[in-house]
Amino acid sequence: MSKAELLGAIAGLNRGILASPGDRKRVAALTTDVEALNPTPDPLAAADKLAGDWRLIYTSSQALLALDRSPIVKLGHIYQCIRPQQHRIYNIAEIYGVPLLEGVISVLARFEPLTQQRLQVYFERSIVGFRQWLNYYSPSQFIPQLQSRRPLLALDVPLNDNEQQGWLDITYLDDDLRIARGNEGSLFILSRV
């Protein structure tokens, strides 16, 4: 099995929203095959490959996919932006629908490496706001605003990182594809932006 087969299998699944049980089973099998070919067995030591903005192209996470079930708004792109030098992760989900309801949901976290593949993730802050009030255009433009710690015109909620934490295994990493598995059993497949 190849990376191209995996990408072909997920191409029409709208990040997993349209995946049938059979689709999910096929993607899981193809993913396992691709993970066996991981060219970067120590992704945390490959900061140049790991760093950057990644767009989610498939997930089995029902919590993420549930964001698309509202009749008023729909889930747009989802990004995970990793800054290894600062040990930071920025999760950003774009929400679309009625023009005044277009928004952004962002969760900021710090991480600590536990093994060559596993990150312990501590969620620190959640931000929900309207795109126009946040002047949001892209993750790369938005992250400096988040890093500045300036007040935002949004619901900005600090999280207790002792209670809000999990882990993430990076099971495949090359120049343009990253596969990760989370502590709740979810699969995440991301492409570099």
Side-chain angles (χ1 to χ4, degrees):
M1 298 298 164
S2 72
K3 179 175 143 180
E5 286 180 87
L6 174 60
L7 294 175
I10 64 176
L13 300 180
N14 190 9
R15 291 155 296 164
I17 293 169
L18 303 176
S20 68
D23 292 328
R24 286 190 287 276
K25 186 175 180 180
R26 180 167 185 250
V27 169
L30 288 169
T31 300
T32 300
D33 291 342
V34 170
E35 288 170 322
L37 305 172
N38 184 8
T40 314
D42 188 354
L44 299 180
D48 56 325
K49 282 188 180 180
L50 184 59
D53 300 342
W54 297 86
R55 184 174 52 87
L56 184 74
I57 56 176
Y58 179 85
T59 186
S60 64
S61 169
Q62 293 306 305
L64 272 180
L65 297 177
L67 294 173
D68 193 69
R69 294 194 182 111
S70 166
I72 300 171
V73 295
K74 291 294 176 196
L75 184 60
H77 291 299
I78 300 173
Y79 299 94
Q80 187 172 71
C81 307
I82 301 180
R83 305 298 186 259
Q85 301 303 333
Q86 294 87 29
H87 291 254
R88 307 294 296 170
I89 295 176
Y90 302 88
N91 295 316
I92 300 170
E94 299 173 348
I95 305 296
Y96 295 94
V98 178
L100 296 176
L101 295 180
E102 291 180 347
V104 176
I105 300 170
S106 183
V107 178
L108 288 64
R110 67 181 169 82
F111 69 84
E112 295 175 4
L114 293 180
T115 67
Q116 290 179 320
Q117 291 185 322
R118 182 168 287 183
L119 304 172
Q120 183 69 35
V121 180
Y122 302 94
F123 300 100
E124 298 179 327
R125 187 175 168 204
S126 176
I127 297 165
V128 178
F130 296 113
R131 290 174 65 117
Q132 62 271 26
W133 291 2
L134 293 169
N135 291 320
Y136 175 87
Y137 300 102
S138 70
S140 60
Q141 165 269 332
F142 188 51
I143 289 173
Q145 289 183 59
L146 298 174
Q147 291 171 330
S148 74
R149 294 276 197 195
R150 290 189 318 257
L152 300 169
L153 288 173
L155 178 61
D156 190 344
V157 179
L159 302 174
N160 182 338
D161 61 1
N162 289 324
E163 295 174 11
Q164 302 287 327
Q165 59 180 295
W167 52 259
L168 187 68
D169 283 341
I170 300 167
T171 57
Y172 182 93
L173 178 65
D174 68 18
D175 292 332
D176 59 1
L177 186 73
R178 180 166 56 90
I179 299 173
R181 295 181 182 270
N183 58 289
E184 294 180 351
S186 295
L187 169 65
F188 304 95
I189 303 175
L190 305 101
S191 65
R192 186 176 298 281
V193 175

